Amino acid sequence: TADLHAYDLYLRAQAISVLVKDTVEWASVMEQKVSLLNEAVNRDPKFVLAYCALAKAYDRLYQAKDITPVEKRNIDYRALAEAALEKARRVAPDFGPVHLALADHFVLANNDAEQGRVEIDLARQTMPNSAALETSAGAIAGRQGRWDDSVRSAERAVALEPRSTEKLFFLANTYRFMRRYDRFDGVMVRLLG
């Protein structure tokens, strides 16, 4: 985007941590992200990255609809995510982050890991060094029971963003699911240290 204020709103939304303990706080955090991202795309209707982030935020709210406040349970977050993705596709159909957002959507909203994997492969063509892509690829591989691929992707995500608590937490959980408790303990010590 050429709109610096829209970019600032996008960056503020991206800086909000989703690693919170309380479900009410989590819903509030996601609503803050949605508000900032909506403001960003209202300022610049061609801001593809903001549409992608908005779709992911809506997908997370859709996935957690049972813990959202009662007055917001009738909101169709899945349809809102699909609308944001459609706008992103219209602006930049072959852009890697659009394929990544589609992959996340297929998994989170449609429970379609195979289509998510297809979109990850398309995204990887233009995003070879993306920690976010590797995290999504690892999550999809784990859903499909491809645990060696899952841990490889999680390790690559941490190598690309070694200070990211979200990436470290994902790697630790991947080790835990694989029952590699010694490696889980090592990552948790790193996280807590």
Side-chain angles (χ1 to χ4, degrees):
T1 183
D3 185 326
L4 292 179
H5 186 64
Y7 189 63
D8 180 59
L9 292 164
Y10 167 78
L11 290 177
R12 287 175 36 209
Q14 295 301 88
I16 295 173
S17 176
V18 294
L19 294 176
V20 293
K21 297 174 185 151
D22 182 80
T23 56
V24 173
E25 181 183 357
W26 183 87
S28 172
V29 163
M30 293 310 294
E31 290 291 336
Q32 289 172 14
K33 283 179 92 95
V34 164
S35 176
L36 290 167
L37 292 165
N38 269 319
E39 194 175 339
V41 296
N42 285 337
R43 287 188 61 88
D44 182 357
K46 294 187 180 200
F47 193 177
V48 176
L49 290 176
Y51 282 123
C52 293
L54 184 60
K56 187 165 186 172
Y58 280 138
D59 280 336
R60 290 201 173 179
L61 285 167
Y62 171 77
Q63 194 178 34
K65 59 188 169 281
D66 295 335
I67 63 168
T68 56
V70 175
E71 65 274 6
K72 301 210 178 207
R73 288 190 186 163
N74 60 349
I75 297 173
D76 190 352
Y77 291 115
R78 182 177 170 178
L80 291 169
E82 288 172 356
L85 288 168
E86 185 56 36
K87 289 175 184 174
R89 276 197 299 217
R90 266 192 254 131
V91 175
D94 297 322
F95 192 44
V98 173
H99 288 293
L100 177 57
L102 284 165
D104 290 336
H105 179 71
F106 281 120
V107 173
L108 296 174
N110 298 340
N111 200 24
D112 187 346
E114 189 53 39
Q115 188 60 43
R117 185 178 182 184
V118 168
E119 293 294 335
I120 285 291
D121 290 341
L122 291 170
R124 189 170 267 131
Q125 294 173 12
T126 60
M127 301 173 68
N129 293 316
S130 168
L133 183 139
E134 294 301 336
T135 302
S136 292
I140 290 169
R143 279 181 180 243
Q144 294 180 317
R146 297 180 296 109
W147 290 105
D148 290 335
D149 291 340
S150 182
V151 79
R152 258 192 305 278
S153 290
E155 288 170 344
R156 182 150 166 76
V158 168
L160 290 166
E161 286 186 21
R163 293 183 180 168
S164 169
T165 55
E166 187 178 339
K167 306 297 184 270
L168 284 165
F169 190 71
F170 176 68
L171 177 60
N173 271 334
T174 304
Y175 285 140
R176 184 173 58 87
F177 293 141
M178 296 177 73
R179 294 188 171 103
R180 294 185 182 171
Y181 298 117
D182 56 329
R183 291 188 180 183
F184 168 79
D185 290 342
V187 175
M188 290 306 292
V189 165
R190 183 174 165 189
L191 261 171
L192 299 172

